[in-house]
Amino acid sequence: MIMLGLESSCDETAVALLQAEGDNVRTLSSQVYTQHKEHLDYGGVVPEIAARAHLEKFPPLIEAALKEANLTYNDIDAIAACTGPGLNGGLMMAMMFGKSLAVSLDKPFYATNHLEGHTLMARLSEKLDFPFLMLLVSGGHCQFIAAEALGQYRIIGGTIDDAIGECFDKTARLMGLGYPGGPAVDRLAQQGNPKAFKLPLPLRHEGIDFSFSGLKTAVRTLVEKHQPLTDEVKADICASLQFAITKLLSIKAERALEMVGMNQLVISGGVAANRSLREQLAQMCAARGAAFFAPPISLCTDNAVMIAYAALLRAQKGHPGDSLDANIRVRWPVEELR
Ligand code: KG4
Ligand code: ZN
């Protein structure tokens, strides 16, 4: 079976082709266009600009994927499009391209949840079995998902205000480090002293929810106090912020593992690219005898392999596809699948 996946929920336009023969799943092509330059001047994703860019990028990316896989449209057996959660205009693009292809090729259409896609990636890359605890950390999300079986996910905790990626991006913007901020903060932090500034660890002692707004404010205050910023202070702020975030996530992840009684932790989402976060979580898991999985970074950030894969697993379980009446869902908790 050949599944085409389409993803455009935020600022990545992505197309993938997967081939499944039983349990053996191969990625024939994964095309990702990241709209950094479109949003650079704004310091964040502008929904209108994102939607227009997806509209322009899908046709050449679909062609490129078919070419790389050495296939034609007629070889596609089913089409999966990410229909939520995400930005309204972007989601519509994947959905409309997906439905149009499904109608013209007379093949099933799978309306696919972005968060389920992220959650399942470690099954593909690390052959991980259920159950496992997923820590999803991206520009739009920060949540713990207990994955019990295919289609059975429970959100057990998460941010009560901003997403974690925003915390990196806004800090970077304050210091003029460009967009997206995470990689820049990660890079600069390597040269700074993580103990230079003591930042708060919000909700450190309570439960497994996160709050990042206080941390953001504390960074803003630091930046204002140290004007004009030297390169050294910038590096120290980045290192201190990264230290605080990493520590907080590690404390909460350990508590979450205990809460659900699981011994497998998976990390995904764009922020999972952060080196210090990966190291800390790996250490915490090793210390408690749990297994830690971090898919390759290209599968942690937004991609269409995850969309095609989530649909493929449903199809293999006998799901015939979704109705063409299926609509986008800007908010679509992973607990509310099918
Ligand atoms: O998953 P993603 O590609 O897009 C969605 O939000 O769905 O995540 C993007 C986020 C951005 O906020 C970016 O700054 C952050 O991931 N990010 C990082 C790193 N690389 C990307 N944050 C911290 N450290 C990194 N190395
Ligand atoms: Zn994502």
Side-chain angles (χ1 to χ4, degrees), residues 10-12 114 118 137-141 165-166 168-169 180-183 186 242 269-271 273-275 300-302:
C10 189
D11 58 346
E12 262 91 22
H114 184 85
H118 274 303
V137 280
S138 73
H141 302 278
E166 256 186 274
F168 279 100
D169 293 338
D186 190 351
Q242 193 166 282
V271 181
N274 190 277
R275 287 165 282 183
C300 283
T301 52
D302 286 353

Side-chain angles (χ1 to χ4, degrees), residues 3-17 28-35 38 50-71 73 76 93-94 97 101 302-305:
M3 178 73 76
L4 173 74
L6 305 173
E7 156 67 44
S8 54
S9 62
C10 189
D11 58 346
E12 262 91 22
T13 321
V15 175
L17 281 162
L28 302 180
S29 180
S30 174
Q31 305 283 332
V32 181
Y33 174 77
T34 302
Q35 308 172 356
E38 286 81 349
R52 191 173 300 213
H54 293 308
L55 182 64
E56 283 168 16
K57 291 293 173 189
F58 265 130
L61 287 181
I62 296 170
E63 294 283 339
L66 287 169
K67 192 166 175 211
E68 187 185 5
N70 207 10
L71 298 176
Y73 283 100
I76 297 171
M93 295 305 156
F97 274 102
L101 283 169
D302 286 353
N303 64 82
V305 172

Side-chain angles (χ1 to χ4, degrees), residues 23-25 120-130 264 293 309:
D23 284 346
N24 189 10
V25 178
L120 293 173
M121 264 308 79
R123 272 183 73 75
L124 179 67
S125 66
E126 325 288 320
K127 308 269 176 263
L128 175 66
D129 277 332
F130 292 110
Q264 305 194 99
F293 301 88
Y309 185 61

Side-chain angles (χ1 to χ4, degrees), residues 163-233:
I164 184 170
E166 256 186 274
C167 196
F168 279 100
D169 293 338
K170 295 223 167 114
T171 297
R173 182 153 53 162
L174 275 177
M175 295 195 281
L177 303 180
Y179 173 84
V185 172
D186 190 351
R187 233 178 358 258
L188 259 186
Q190 307 293 318
Q191 300 152 29
N193 171 11
K195 302 267 168 70
F197 302 108
K198 199 165 181 342
L199 290 167
L201 299 177
L203 304 181
R204 171 185 189 161
H205 298 290
E206 294 115 71
I208 54 168
D209 284 335
F210 298 98
S211 162
F212 295 109
S213 64
L215 202 49
K216 251 174 34 188
T217 310
V219 171
R220 177 183 292 278
T221 310
L222 269 184
V223 169
E224 283 164 1
K225 200 171 137 198
H226 289 88
Q227 289 295 335
L229 292 178
T230 61
D231 286 347
E232 197 186 337
V233 170

